């Protein structure tokens, strides 16, 4: 089926320029003159690289170079665009902090009839995570692939461009068609104003100059495209400014099966008047498949590990207990090493299983009335031997009033156990760990504070990432999987709460999480 939309009819020059500025501002992009001097950059480009517009205007793209590419690479690129051809490929740049960014770059030369090439537009797509996931998938078949592209609103006035601006309209349409996301621009009266080439390819529609698409026509066409079409159409294709919903994933069943992430973004005029919405549909089929393969792989491997680990731990304990006869000092030392390593592997397997369950959505929170005071006391009792061994004092500051909250008792204990055991592990002998409970207006806040080694600002930035371990020598001497804090944060958020951390090197740390009352 082919659907069409008429080109824009009348727009003042300044309105059209404002439209184009809005579109370019919605993507990571910058514009240079014919010599490569940067004239303008979008806020999205700033978000991506850490540079403000003021930082880059007047500079050349050399400030982003990472030394990954040689001069031949840049020479071929420059030769291509100065010949008036579009250059497209992958580059590795550095952001303002020096971190590597893997990017998909499209550079479009623009010509004026008598002046030749006057400007270059660089459109970026951040594929850093995609590159990392591809590498991990190749090595372990457990990583996910994600494309991250966002284009922000077109304006209603796209339907009303003047004939005098036809050439400019064609150039700007080419920019919007360069993105991989499918996009539909809908007016506040639910008229279809425009959609891009990716939408045409995704749903076998097309727009031409001699027809006008109504909402009813598009709805009828899309009814067979989705597994739950009525929900998709009512939420995203007839939404108003007051009813925008967060992005969600839906299954497309026609013309081929895909997983699509969909969200609608409000489009406003220069005077902040709501004039419609931009619906963006992103194909995440491959990402979901990668996630499924990763979950299956982790689940299979960890289950395979559990059986031999159980035997190793069991037989080791029997031998250490003397069930197989007297042991020499060397034998006992070797078996203690085996036991410690087996326990570490067991913790790693359990944490990997927990991560896999959380990411696959298999973990469910069962909220019941819980006595927070009893939960804290139970965890302290469990950790007392560990604290006593290091002469660490465990203390509490808990209100005398009742502390009944709605929580999953097992997950709440897991949160407390992870935070308190970490506090003990990273506090040197003779230190102190304090658990404080405060009642807030809408939540209960629980803090676990220690007098331990503390953390640097760099550690704090990455603390809740999976497998992150500090380079602090004391931390490296204490075994850990690097998954506990990620799991803890996930459990807190499943309860509808949040977790924060304050820390100074050598002064200790304070973790605070909240549970809604």
């Amino acid at each position: 089926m082919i659907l069409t939309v008429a080109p824009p009819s009348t727009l003042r020059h300044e309105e059209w320029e404002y439209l184009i500025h809005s579109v370019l501002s919605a993507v990571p992009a910058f514009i240079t003159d014919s010599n490569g001097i940067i004239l303008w950059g979008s806020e999205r480009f700033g978000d991506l690289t850490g540079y403000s517009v003021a930082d880059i205007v007047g500079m050349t793209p050399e400030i982003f170079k990472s030394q990954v590419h040689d001069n031949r690479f840049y020479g071929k690129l420059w030769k291509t665009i100065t010949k008036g051809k579009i250059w497209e490929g992958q580059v590795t740049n550095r952001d303002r902090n020096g971190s590597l960014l893997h990017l998909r770059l499209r550079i479009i030369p623009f010509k004026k009839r008598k002046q030749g090439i006057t400007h270059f537009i660089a459109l970026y797509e951040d594929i850093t995570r995609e590159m990392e996931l591809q590498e991990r998938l190749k090595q372990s078949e457990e990583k996910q692939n994600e494309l991250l592209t966002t284009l922000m609103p077109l304006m209603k006035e796209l339907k009303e461009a003047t004939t005098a601006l036809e050439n400019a309209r064609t150039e700007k349409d080419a920019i919007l068609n360069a993105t991989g996301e499918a996009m539909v621009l809908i007016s506040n009266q639910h008229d279809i104003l425009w959609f891009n080439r990716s939408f045409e390819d995704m749903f076998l529609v097309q727009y031409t100059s001699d027809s006008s698409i109504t909402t009813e026509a598009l709805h009828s066409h899309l009814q067979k495209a989705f597994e739950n079409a009525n929900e998709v159409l009512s939420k995203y294709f007839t939404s108003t400014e007051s009813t925008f919903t967060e992005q969600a994933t839906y299954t497309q069943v026609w013309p081929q099966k895909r997983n699509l992430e969909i969200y609608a973004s409000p489009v406003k005029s220069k005077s902040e008047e709501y004039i419609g919405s931009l619906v963006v549909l992103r194909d995440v089929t491959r990402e979901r498949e990668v996630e499924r393969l990763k979950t299956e792989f982790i689940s299979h491997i960890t289950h395979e590990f559990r059986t031999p680990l159980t035997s190793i731990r069991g037989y080791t304990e029997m031998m250490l207990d003397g069930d197989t006869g007297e042991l020499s000092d060397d034998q006992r030392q070797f078996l203690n090493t085996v036991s410690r390593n087996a326990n570490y592997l067991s913790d790693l397997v359990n944490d990997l299983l927990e991560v896999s369950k959380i990411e696959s959505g298999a973990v469910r929170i069962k909220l019941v009335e819980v006595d927070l005071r009893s939960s804290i006391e139970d965890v302290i009792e469990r950790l007392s031997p560990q604290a006593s061994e290091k002469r660490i004092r465990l203390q509490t500051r808990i209100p005398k009033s009742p502390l009944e909250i709605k929580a999953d008792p097992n997950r709440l204990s897991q949160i407390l156990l992870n935070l308190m055991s970490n506090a003990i592990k990273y506090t040197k002998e003779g230190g102190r760990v304090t658990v404080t409970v405060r009642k807030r207006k809408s939540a209960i806040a629980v803090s676990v504070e220690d007098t331990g080694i503390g953390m640097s600002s760099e550690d704090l930035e990455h603390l809740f990432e999976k497998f992150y371990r500090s380079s602090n020598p004391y931390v490296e001497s204490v075994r850990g999987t690097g998954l506990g804090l990620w799991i803890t944060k996930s459990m807190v958020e499943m309860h509808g709460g949040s977790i924060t951390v304050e820390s100074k090197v050598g002064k200790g740390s304070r973790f605070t999480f909240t549970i809604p009352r």
Side-chain angles (χ1 to χ4, degrees):
M1 176 178 179
I2 297 179
L3 302 178
T4 63
V5 166
S9 54
T10 57
L11 265 188
R12 294 194 306 275
H13 180 78
E14 59 271 18
E15 291 175 327
W16 177 253
E17 291 301 323
Y18 174 70
L19 267 178
I20 302 314
H21 180 269
S22 297
V23 171
L24 288 177
S25 296
V27 298
F30 63 80
I31 299 175
T32 75
D33 63 14
S34 58
N35 295 315
I37 304 299
I38 297 174
L39 305 176
W40 173 91
S42 69
E43 289 186 8
R44 287 299 179 93
F45 184 77
D47 295 339
L48 176 64
T49 64
Y51 288 94
S52 68
V53 176
D55 291 331
I56 64 173
V57 169
M59 307 295 288
T60 69
E62 289 190 1
I63 64 175
F64 312 123
K65 282 187 177 180
S66 62
Q67 309 306 320
V68 171
H69 309 291
D70 57 21
N71 290 334
R72 287 177 54 194
F73 174 86
Y74 293 108
K76 289 181 180 179
L77 184 155
W78 183 252
K79 185 176 180 180
T80 299
I81 62 176
T82 53
K83 285 183 177 181
K85 298 179 180 179
I86 295 175
W87 187 91
E88 184 174 10
Q90 292 183 3
V91 297
T92 301
N93 286 348
R94 290 192 184 275
D95 64 16
R96 187 166 188 167
N97 295 323
S99 299
L100 290 178
L101 293 172
H102 299 291
L103 305 164
R104 186 172 288 118
L105 172 62
R106 175 181 283 246
I107 303 178
I108 305 172
F110 280 90
K111 297 181 180 180
K112 288 189 177 179
R113 292 179 179 175
K114 296 183 179 181
Q115 298 179 29
I117 295 175
T118 60
H119 297 84
F120 299 104
I121 291 186
L123 300 172
Y124 283 91
E125 179 183 352
D126 184 2
I127 59 170
T128 302
R129 189 179 179 194
E130 176 188 352
M131 297 295 290
E132 292 173 351
L133 290 176
Q134 287 177 352
E135 180 63 24
R136 292 175 185 176
L137 181 62
K138 180 181 177 181
Q139 295 175 356
S140 63
E141 298 182 33
E142 61 175 287
K143 300 299 177 183
Q144 53 191 335
N145 183 14
E146 180 180 47
L147 296 173
L148 180 61
T149 304
T150 307
L151 284 177
M152 291 302 289
L154 291 167
M155 310 302 280
K156 177 184 178 181
E157 290 85 354
L158 280 174
K159 195 178 180 182
E160 304 172 350
T162 63
T163 303
L165 293 173
E166 177 61 27
N167 289 336
R169 184 196 66 81
T170 302
E171 291 173 351
K172 306 318 176 284
D173 279 355
I175 294 173
L176 295 169
N177 283 324
T179 182
E181 271 86 359
M183 298 187 299
V184 186
L185 186 64
I186 304 172
S187 75
N188 54 3
Q189 286 83 34
H190 303 156
D191 295 323
I192 307 302
L193 303 178
W194 172 91
F195 49 78
N196 68 348
R197 188 167 297 133
S198 294
F199 187 86
E200 296 176 357
D201 297 339
M202 190 172 286
F203 297 104
L204 299 186
V205 296
Q206 185 178 11
Y207 90 40
T208 62
S209 61
D210 58 355
S211 70
S212 175
I213 301 176
T214 65
T215 299
E216 291 75 16
L218 186 62
H219 281 206
S220 177
H221 185 72
L222 296 180
Q223 276 290 340
K224 59 184 177 181
F226 289 98
E227 202 169 62
N228 45 353
N230 290 334
E231 179 182 344
V232 173
L233 296 175
S234 63
K235 284 180 66 174
Y236 297 99
F237 289 83
T238 59
S239 59
T240 62
E241 186 178 19
S242 61
T243 60
F244 280 103
T245 56
E246 296 181 357
Q247 71 180 32
T249 302
Y250 294 89
T251 301
Q252 180 187 358
V253 293
W254 179 90
Q256 73 179 70
K257 192 167 185 177
R258 297 186 182 95
N259 292 316
L260 299 180
E261 273 188 357
I262 309 176
Y263 69 90
S265 178
V267 179
K268 297 184 179 181
S269 67
K270 196 170 184 178
S271 60
E272 291 299 309
E273 178 188 359
Y274 172 72
I275 58 175
S277 62
L278 180 70
V279 179
V280 180
L281 306 94
R282 188 162 72 94
D283 187 350
V284 294
T285 307
R286 188 178 179 188
E287 294 173 31
R288 296 296 181 264
E289 179 62 15
V290 170
E291 290 174 359
R292 185 187 66 79
L293 290 174
K294 181 198 70 173
T295 300
E296 289 182 357
F297 177 78
I298 292 176
S299 179
H300 175 73
I301 292 300
T302 50
H303 279 297
E304 289 297 316
F305 264 114
R306 274 189 162 180
T307 300
L309 273 175
T310 301
S311 298
I312 291 170
R313 293 174 68 188
Y315 287 126
T316 303
E317 289 174 3
M318 288 175 60
M319 295 174 72
L320 287 170
D321 290 341
D323 293 344
T324 58
E326 290 295 324
L327 300 174
S328 68
D329 290 341
D330 285 343
Q331 289 172 330
R332 186 169 295 278
Q333 181 181 348
F334 294 153
L335 285 172
N336 279 325
T337 300
V338 171
S339 180
R340 284 195 302 272
N341 285 323
N343 288 333
Y344 169 72
L345 282 176
S346 180
D347 290 341
L348 179 59
V349 166
N350 290 334
D351 283 350
L352 284 172
L353 275 175
E354 190 78 350
V355 169
S356 178
K357 290 177 182 178
I358 292 171
E359 290 186 332
S360 66
V363 175
R364 294 288 184 269
I365 296 296
K366 298 178 181 179
L367 298 180
V368 296
E369 289 285 346
V370 177
D371 183 353
L372 180 57
R373 185 194 310 276
S374 295
S375 297
I376 293 173
E377 290 173 350
D378 288 344
V379 172
I380 288 177
E381 185 177 349
R382 291 172 62 182
L383 294 175
S384 288
Q386 182 181 335
S388 298
E389 187 177 339
K390 295 178 69 176
R391 295 185 294 105
I392 292 174
R393 187 173 58 187
L394 299 179
Q395 59 186 31
T396 60
R397 295 173 183 167
I398 303 176
K400 294 181 179 180
S401 56
L403 290 174
E404 294 290 333
I405 60 171
K406 286 277 190 179
D408 185 311
N410 294 328
R411 298 305 180 181
L412 179 60
S413 295
Q414 186 177 1
I415 293 167
L416 292 167
L417 188 64
N418 282 351
L419 294 178
M420 293 173 65
S421 62
N422 272 357
I424 294 171
K425 278 196 294 186
Y426 300 117
T427 298
K428 296 181 180 180
E429 289 195 6
R432 182 177 66 254
V433 174
T434 305
V435 181
T436 304
V437 178
R438 295 182 180 88
K439 291 185 176 181
R440 297 179 179 174
K441 184 175 181 180
S442 59
I444 295 290
V446 181
S447 297
V448 178
E449 185 174 4
D450 62 60
T451 58
I453 60 173
M455 291 172 281
S456 66
S457 57
E458 182 182 354
D459 287 335
L460 293 177
E461 185 178 347
H462 302 285
L463 191 60
F464 293 103
E465 295 177 4
K466 282 182 287 189
F467 298 107
Y468 179 75
R469 296 274 287 164
S470 171
S471 58
N472 185 308
Y474 188 88
V475 173
E476 292 179 342
S477 69
V478 179
R479 278 199 161 176
T481 65
L483 295 171
L485 286 177
W486 185 90
I487 293 171
T488 299
K489 182 174 183 289
S490 299
M491 293 301 174
V492 170
E493 291 174 348
M494 285 182 185
H495 280 83
S498 61
I499 186 168
T500 58
V501 59
E502 305 165 68
S503 186
K504 289 185 179 180
V505 176
K507 301 293 184 181
S509 304
R510 179 169 63 230
F511 287 82
T512 302
F513 69 91
T514 61
I515 300 292
R517 298 182 69 174

